[in-house]
Amino acid sequence: MKRTFLGATILALGLSLALGGHASAADSPAGVPTAADLAAVSTVVTSDATTQRLAKAEFPGAAKADMAVAARTAKADPRTPVAVYQPTAAFIAGTSAVPAELAYVATPATLGNGDAATVWSQREGTGWSVYNVASGDVEKRLAARVGKGYLLSEPQAGAWYAVDGDIVTVLDGSSVAKTGEKMTLAAYREALQTRYGDKLPGSTYDRTGAAGGYGASPVGDDSVPWWPYALGAVFLAAAGAAVTLRLRRQ
């Protein structure tokens, strides 16, 4: 289904809550999507190429799709995109007050077999492109609990947080605190420094290539996306096993 740029832009203007647009300038992450960005994301996730990708996508253990039905079932829903952010190496190192930067925009979708999925879009030059179809609707479900803040992911730990100004709330999977517990942004940074401080760019860990992917280039369509391992040269690759189950490219 084709959508006009104007229609997508109007839609985008109403989505600031899920995208962290209510955070103050001082506390905002970097790379918050603009209305024009969301219009571009809407166009790419509803394109024929993405729809066909959703129709054909299969995940281990899932029911096979009836291709006659899949063509009608498979679709992305651009009305509720979710911006997903990640901590930066500079924040962890204490050299920047900006707590995170945009990793991708998640768009809820339905596969050809009717299962829930999520389309991940990322900036590519001056535009946007789809680079992964992940199983499930984790981002959509967690975004509903974010409130007026923004959704923060630690992909290698499989952890999710809501950040609202100086308050970080554990949403899922954290080894730092129990789900629902809150901490200050400063306390969260201290926890990040404990876990990843010796793995930042320039560290021995980085120089020896122990991360197994730092400095890597984006990989092809049949591989696990590169960014959870390389982005910011922060996160420990060996800890990402639970996450990669979602990250299979289709």
Side-chain angles (χ1 to χ4, degrees), residues 7 22 26-27 33 45-46 52 57 77 80 85 88 118 126 136 139 147 178 210-211 234 250:
H22 285 209
D27 298 323
V45 300
T46 56
Q52 291 175 18
D77 183 356
T80 54
Y85 300 88
T88 65
T118 303
T126 58
E139 294 87 348
K178 295 179 180 179
V234 173
Q250 298 292 332

Side-chain angles (χ1 to χ4, degrees), residues 1-245:
M1 182 185 300
K2 295 182 178 179
R3 306 189 189 282
T4 65
F5 179 85
L6 177 60
T9 301
I10 292 173
L11 171 66
L13 292 175
L15 298 171
S16 60
L17 181 60
L19 297 171
H22 285 209
S24 67
D27 298 323
S28 291
V32 176
T34 64
D37 288 328
L38 297 182
V41 169
S42 176
T43 297
V44 74
V45 300
T46 56
S47 67
D48 289 341
T50 301
T51 301
Q52 291 175 18
R53 187 170 174 177
L54 290 168
K56 297 176 181 178
E58 295 180 358
F59 289 93
K64 296 288 185 181
D66 181 323
M67 295 312 296
V69 176
R72 300 191 302 270
T73 303
K75 61 181 179 180
D77 183 356
R79 296 173 299 174
T80 54
V82 178
V84 178
Y85 300 88
Q86 291 177 357
T88 65
F91 175 71
I92 295 172
T95 59
S96 172
V98 178
E101 65 184 1
L102 182 72
Y104 60 97
V105 172
T107 304
T110 304
L111 298 180
N113 65 359
D115 286 352
T118 303
V119 178
W120 294 2
S121 301
Q122 195 174 52
R123 287 191 179 97
E124 184 175 350
T126 58
W128 288 79
S129 62
V130 169
Y131 76 99
N132 190 57
V133 173
S135 63
D137 59 355
V138 173
E139 294 87 348
K140 177 183 177 180
R141 289 187 288 105
L142 293 179
R145 296 162 52 192
V146 166
K148 64 179 182 179
Y150 58 88
L151 184 63
L152 184 72
S153 168
E154 269 184 64
Q156 296 302 55
W160 297 85
Y161 303 86
V163 182
D164 182 7
D166 187 47
I167 301 301
V168 179
T169 303
V170 178
L171 297 179
D172 189 45
S174 175
S175 61
V176 178
K178 295 179 180 179
T179 298
E181 289 188 359
K182 300 179 184 296
M183 69 190 87
T184 65
L185 197 58
Y188 177 60
R189 173 150 58 184
E190 289 180 3
L192 288 173
Q193 288 174 336
T194 298
R195 291 198 296 279
Y196 309 119
D198 61 347
K199 302 173 182 67
L200 297 177
S203 66
T204 300
Y205 187 88
D206 179 23
R207 291 194 304 272
T208 59
Y214 291 165
S217 299
V219 294
D221 253 0
D222 294 328
S223 303
V224 174
W226 66 278
W227 63 265
Y229 306 94
L231 184 62
V234 173
F235 298 105
L236 174 61
V243 178
T244 57
L245 295 176

